[in-house]
Amino acid sequence: MDVHKGRLDATGMRIGIVVARFNELVSQPLLDGAVDALVRHGADEEHITVAWVPGSFEIPIAARTMAEQGDVDALVCLGVVIRGETAHFDYVAGEAARGVAAVHATTGVPAGFGVLTVDTLEHALDRAGGKHGNKGSDAALAAVEMVKLLRELRRPRAAARQAVS
Ligand code: INI
């Protein structure tokens, strides 16, 4: 059996974080949690680039731009969409999720998805360092794990190509 797992080691990784300013009271602690998790797992703060966007709807275009520049190994996308505050909750949340999924599917740069979609501000705070942990940290670590896993998965194929050439 050939089993691959990505290790949570961010040493040497260059990480782009896109964070939405809307509901900044919650998105700032998501950002703090993401940076803290990355640094605790070996990333150098100098290699972390943070881009603030107005709202979660704008996350995908900034994430795509960072990925296409080719100087990040992974992306972490952070935002807070609260149902009580908007009639277009489903559009904003849906477009953020679809857009980020499209970025990592088409660029090959893994993106951790840390956009909260919740009913109330309290539920959001619970997930940004409160009783349900910090989803910014979780998204950052998911991105690190995926970088490591994808590197593992690419390695055998590169070796196989060399063997036949
Ligand atoms: N953006 C969010 O990130 N969260 C929200 O809850 C939200 N609400 O409530 O509308 C929100 N709207 C702004 C949106 O993301 C865009 O910035 C805006 O539509 C301009 O394009």
Side-chain angles (χ1 to χ4, degrees), residues 20-23 53-59 79-89 92 115-116:
R21 206 167 44 241
F22 208 100
N23 294 312
V53 295
S56 296
F57 189 79
E58 283 76 29
I59 289 173
V80 183
V81 191
I82 301 179
R83 186 180 293 275
E85 288 180 10
T86 175
H88 63 287
F89 171 96
V92 173
V115 178
L116 300 180

Side-chain angles (χ1 to χ4, degrees), residues 113-129:
F113 187 69
V115 178
L116 300 180
T117 50
V118 291
D119 289 329
T120 65
L121 177 62
E122 189 191 348
H123 287 175
L125 289 168
D126 286 345
R127 290 158 178 78

